[in-house]
Structures are given as structure tokens and as C-alpha cells.
């Protein structure tokens, strides 16, 4: 394993890891930074293990250094939301996923919304999207339906130069796509150690990771998070991205969550979002629906299948709105090629990976189950995407 600039002597690091912390605990506070795609963190030393996030103190950071606040009013508050085990420090040490808040003069706080002049510098604003998602998932109609999500996070590994994908010749190209997906062998698989270390780190931390595999482009991988219900999905996916950054740091490798990491005849990277409601999963669901459009137009559908097709029609009516919030530079990926739908065309189909939404063959056979929205980009905000699906399908908004 190569040595990263952040870990100049791994052997010496291990010696210090064995030192007694005298009953104190390192809590790594983690938050989404100013681009909406970067993850920041800093360490607070606490005296006892918290039973819940409510037991942890709020903290703050300099938002002017992360693109989240102006210099003259730079303090942004961190509110602990979820606790995970720390696979790097181990022991009783923890990772604390936080939401970001702005303090007001009257002593109250409001969810962070990055000012417009800062977004021009930072690109995509690092707003507190978790709080808005939480409100949607706490709506009685949404809570009653126990909405599940399984998110497939694709990512690309680069050499330390950030230019050469892992396994590619410098300044050149590898063999065409084909042998790399779910591959084995030194000539096909590049970065397995990172994928495996990340998988184990997620499992240790308590992230609901459910699998991993090599992807179509060499140097590209995927892992899956879920099933998770509601706001938990955004928390676990965000924490999994943090763990990926940290694992790659150890290997002195750069990870990219961008949707089209290499121009040309190469697959992009998505964040396919599988979802279902209680009514979609239950074969005993009582419901009738006659589609107004699509392949089942005019047919009288019943049960969970009727709920699913009705949900797809609702999604189709909001397709442009969804795509605008499904990740930055997604238009570079959604071209109708490389297992994607054209972003200007709404479609769904059975086992169709070129459709906007894929209906799994097993779901079609049983007439209940889940659906896969294939449009979200690999850099999408999981709080936005999951809550948007809940809002559209269950709240008709």
C-alpha cells in the first residue's frame, strides 16, 4: 500500500493508536461543505459516550472558509444528527454526522441557506437540505407508507494526479469497456483493495451497506446502501461518502463522485435510487388505477401494481423538475447512451437500463416490489432526491 501525505508513517500511527485515551472519546463532527459535494470534519474530545445525538453538544465552524458564510458573519452551527462507530480511531471513538444552522440575533437558529453571492464562488450551494427532507419524511402520509430506499453509489478512482483513472495508462486509454464490470484479475480489476476496505469500514461504522462491485469503466466501482427508511437513507449515504474519502486518503488515491469523469465512449457514474412504499411492497394492497399514458394506457390495474404505475405517472409529470435537482453536470451523463435515458425523454420499462425508471423483472412478474430511478447523478444530494420522490409520490406535490 502506498503511503499518503496524511499518513507519513503508518507503523508509527499504529503505535499511537494503542495509547490509552484515559476514558475520553474523540467525536469526529462531519458536515456537508460549501459546494454541496465536499465533506468537512473536525474533532471534538468528549468525556463520556453519548446515548443519542441529543447528548452531544452543538459546535460551530468558520463558514467563510468552506463557502458557507461571509467573513463578517462567519459562524455556522453544527447540530449532531447521527452517530456511527469510528473505523479509523476505533475503540469508543465515534463519527458524528451533523446538519448546519445559521444563528440569528435573537438567539434562535435556522437551517443554513448559503447566500447567493457565495454560491457563485462555491458552485452548488452547501445548504442544509436535511431539515427540509426531514419535514417531508415526518409528514403523516409519508410516515404511514414507510418509504424504503436502496441507493447504488457509483464512483471513480484516480491516481493522485486526479487526472488518470486507476488502471489507465498515463496519457492513454485502456482496452474498450467490456471486461471490467464485476471483473476479476489484474488486467481487469483496478482498486479492489479500496472497495473492500471501504466496505469493511462501512460495516464497522454501522452504515447499512449491502454490497459492492466493479463497474463498467475501468477504475470505476459501486457500492449499495440500504434498504433504509426515510431520512436514514440520506444520513447513511452521506456518511458512506465520508468513509470513502478517508479510505482513499490512506491509499493516496483520489475518488470522484462526478457523473461523467471521463469524456468520450465511457460510462458515466450514477446514483441509481431504488424505492418502494408499503403499498408497493404489499401483495394484498387494495387499489385501482387506469393509466392515462405509457405502455399500460387505458388498462384497469389493481393492487400494488396499480400503485406503482400511478407513482410512475406522477414522476413523469415532474420529470424536468426532478432532473434539475438530481445532481450537477448530469446532462453530460444522461445522453441516451451508456445505459442511460436521454434527459429530455421520460420513459419506464421492464428490465430496461436505458429507461428513466427501470421496473425489475421480478417486480413485473409478482406485480409488487420496488422501482429503480436511474436518473440521479453520482454526486446527487441524497436528502433532496429521496424526499423529492416521497413528496411527488405520496404528497402529490
Amino acid at each position: 500500500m502506498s503511503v499518503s501525505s496524511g499518513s507519513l508513517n503508518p507503523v508509527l500511527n499504529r503505535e499511537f493508536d494503542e495509547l490509552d485515551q484515559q476514558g475520553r472519546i474523540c467525536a469526529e463532527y462531519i458536515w456537508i461543505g460549501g459546494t454541496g459535494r465536499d465533506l468537512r470534519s473536525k474533532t471534538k474530545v468528549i468525556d463520556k459516550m453519548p446515548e443519542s445525538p441529543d447528548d452531544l453538544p452543538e459546535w460551530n465552524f468558520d463558514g467563510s472558509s468552506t463557502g458557507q458564510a461571509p467573513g463578517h458573519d462567519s459562524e455556522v452551527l453544527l447540530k449532531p444528527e447521527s452517530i456511527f462507530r469510528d473505523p479509523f480511531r476505533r475503540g469508543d471513538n465515534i463519527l458524528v454526522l451533523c446538519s448546519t444552522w445559521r444563528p440569528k440575533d435573537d438567539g434562535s437558529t435556522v437551517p443554513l441557506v448559503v447566500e447567493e453571492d457565495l454560491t457563485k464562488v462555491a458552485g452548488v450551494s452547501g445548504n442544509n437540505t436535511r431539515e427540509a427532507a426531514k419535514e417531508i419524511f415526518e409528514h403523516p402520509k409519508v410516515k404511514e407508507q414507510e418509504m424504503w430506499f436502496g441507493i447504488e453509489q457509483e464512483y471513480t478512482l484516480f491516481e493522485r494526479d486526479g487526472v488518470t483513472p486507476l488502471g489507465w495508462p498515463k496519457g492513454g486509454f485502456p482496452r474498450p469497456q467490456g471486461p471490467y464490470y464485476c471483473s476479476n484479475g489484474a488486467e481487469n480489476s483496478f482498486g479492489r483493495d479500496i472497495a473492500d476496505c471501504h466496505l469493511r469500514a462501512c460495516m464497522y461504522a454501522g452504515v447499512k451497506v449491502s454490497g459492492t462491485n466493479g463497474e463498467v469503466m475501468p477504475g470505476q466501482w459501486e457500492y449499495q446502501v440500504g434498504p433504509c427508511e426515510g431520512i436514514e437513507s440520506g444520513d447513511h449515504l452521506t456518511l458512506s461518502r465520508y468513509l470513502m474519502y478517508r479510505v482513499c486518503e490512506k491509499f493516496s488515491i483520489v475518488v470522484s463522485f462526478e457523473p461523467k469523469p471521463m469524456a468520450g465512449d465511457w460510462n458515466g457514474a450514477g446514483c441509481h435510487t431504488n424505492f418502494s412504499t408499503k403499498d408497493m411492497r404489499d401483495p394484498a394492497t387494495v387499489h385501482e388505477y387506469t393509466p392515462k399514458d405509457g405502455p399500460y394506457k387505458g388498462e384497469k390495474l389493481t393492487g400494488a401494481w396499480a400503485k406503482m404505475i400511478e407513482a410512475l405517472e406522477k414522476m413523469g409529470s415532474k420529470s424536468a423538475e426532478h432532473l434539475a435537482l438530481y445532481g450537477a453536470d448530469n446532462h453530460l451523463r444522461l445522453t441516451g447512451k451508456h445505459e442511460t435515458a436521454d434527459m429530455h425523454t421520460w420513459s419506464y420499462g421492464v428490465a430496461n437500463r436505458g429507461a428513466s425508471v427501470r421496473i425489475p423483472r421480478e417486480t413485473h412478474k409478482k406485480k409488487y416490489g420496488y422501482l429503480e430511478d436511474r436518473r440521479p447523478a453520482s454526486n446527487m444530494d441524497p436528502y433532496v432526491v429521496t424526499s423529492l420522490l416521497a413528496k411527488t409520490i405520496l404528497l402529490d406535490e
Side-chain angles (χ1 to χ4, degrees), residues 205-274:
V207 172
K208 291 187 176 179
V209 64
S210 50
T212 186
N213 59 268
E215 264 303 331
V216 177
M217 191 183 87
Q220 194 176 75
W221 290 79
E222 174 191 298
Y223 62 87
Q224 302 89 38
V225 172
C228 296
E229 183 180 339
I231 199 70
E232 181 184 59
S233 184
D235 286 350
H236 282 238
L237 190 76
T238 300
L239 201 283
S240 76
R241 287 174 174 173
Y242 168 81
L243 293 175
M244 178 57 74
Y245 282 121
R246 289 290 305 275
V247 168
C248 286
E249 180 183 321
K250 294 285 187 182
F251 285 84
S252 198
I253 290 294
V254 175
V255 62
S256 169
F257 292 110
E258 295 308 297
K260 188 66 176 177
M262 296 300 291
D265 194 21
W266 305 99
N267 270 38
C271 216
H272 305 150
T273 303
N274 301 277

Side-chain angles (χ1 to χ4, degrees), residues 25 34 118 140 167 181 186 248 284 296 299 301:
I25 295 165
L118 290 172
Y181 174 70
C248 286
Y296 305 102
E299 293 185 31
L301 308 178

Side-chain angles (χ1 to χ4, degrees), residues 276-287:
S276 66
T277 63
K278 184 167 66 174
D279 284 345
M280 292 179 186
R281 297 188 297 269
D282 187 356
T285 293
V286 177
H287 187 64

Side-chain angles (χ1 to χ4, degrees), residues 55 202 242 318 320 354 386:
D55 295 332
C202 284
Y242 168 81
K318 299 283 188 178
T386 56

Side-chain angles (χ1 to χ4, degrees), residues 79-377:
K79 177 183 176 183
E81 300 287 4
S82 296
I83 298 173
F84 298 83
R85 298 170 71 196
D86 188 338
F88 305 108
R89 292 185 173 115
R90 304 188 187 182
D92 287 336
N93 301 302
I94 57 176
L95 304 176
V96 182
L97 186 64
C98 301
S99 57
T100 48
W101 297 74
R102 290 286 287 167
K104 298 178 69 177
D105 292 339
D106 62 4
S108 63
T109 60
V110 293
L112 177 69
V113 176
V114 177
E115 296 179 12
E116 186 177 353
D117 61 334
L118 290 172
T119 66
K120 294 174 183 177
V121 176
V124 181
S125 63
N127 294 334
N128 179 351
T129 56
R130 187 186 189 278
E131 195 63 18
K134 183 180 175 182
E135 288 184 14
I136 290 172
F137 285 121
E138 288 182 347
H139 191 286
K141 289 183 179 179
V142 178
K143 287 185 72 173
E144 191 274 332
Q145 280 297 307
E146 299 171 3
M147 200 163 185
W148 289 0
F149 299 96
I151 300 179
E152 304 170 23
Q153 175 69 71
E154 294 179 345
Y155 61 94
T156 309
L157 299 174
F158 283 82
E159 300 286 355
R160 190 171 178 179
D161 61 12
V163 174
T164 308
L166 210 59
W168 289 44
K170 286 189 180 295
F173 298 93
R175 292 170 297 156
Q177 295 183 155
Y180 311 110
Y181 174 70
C182 294
S183 64
N184 294 282
E187 74 279 19
N188 297 321
S189 181
F190 312 105
R192 186 184 302 279
D193 283 350
I194 291 174
D196 281 352
C197 287
H198 176 258
L199 177 63
R200 291 194 292 271
C202 284
M203 293 171 71
Y204 180 93
V207 172
K208 291 187 176 179
V209 64
S210 50
T212 186
N213 59 268
E215 264 303 331
V216 177
M217 191 183 87
Q220 194 176 75
W221 290 79
E222 174 191 298
Y223 62 87
Q224 302 89 38
V225 172
C228 296
E229 183 180 339
I231 199 70
E232 181 184 59
S233 184
D235 286 350
H236 282 238
L237 190 76
T238 300
L239 201 283
S240 76
R241 287 174 174 173
Y242 168 81
L243 293 175
M244 178 57 74
Y245 282 121
R246 289 290 305 275
V247 168
C248 286
E249 180 183 321
K250 294 285 187 182
F251 285 84
S252 198
I253 290 294
V254 175
V255 62
S256 169
F257 292 110
E258 295 308 297
K260 188 66 176 177
M262 296 300 291
D265 194 21
W266 305 99
N267 270 38
C271 216
H272 305 150
T273 303
N274 301 277
F275 63 93
S276 66
T277 63
K278 184 167 66 174
D279 284 345
M280 292 179 186
R281 297 188 297 269
D282 187 356
T285 293
V286 177
H287 187 64
E288 291 186 356
Y289 184 71
T290 302
K292 302 176 182 65
D293 203 354
Y296 305 102
K297 180 179 180 180
E299 293 185 31
K300 185 177 181 181
L301 308 178
T302 60
W305 182 243
K307 281 286 186 182
M308 299 173 91
I309 300 304
E310 183 179 14
L312 287 171
E313 289 210 340
K314 291 178 180 179
M315 290 172 64
S317 70
K318 299 283 188 178
S319 182
E321 177 185 326
H322 285 196
L323 282 171
L325 299 170
Y326 270 21
D329 296 324
N330 205 16
H331 65 286
L332 300 176
R333 167 180 162 264
L334 293 182
T335 61
K337 300 177 181 179
H338 306 111
E339 301 181 85
T340 69
D342 184 292
M343 70 180 301
H344 302 294
T345 305
W346 162 258
S347 62
Y348 62 87
V350 178
N352 186 354
R353 282 179 163 77
S356 306
V357 176
R358 177 179 69 92
I359 303 173
R361 194 168 294 281
E362 188 73 7
T363 295
H364 180 255
K365 178 182 177 181
K366 292 181 175 180
K367 297 297 186 287
Y368 66 90
Y370 71 95
L371 302 169
E372 178 194 31
D373 191 342
R374 295 183 58 79
R375 298 169 299 165

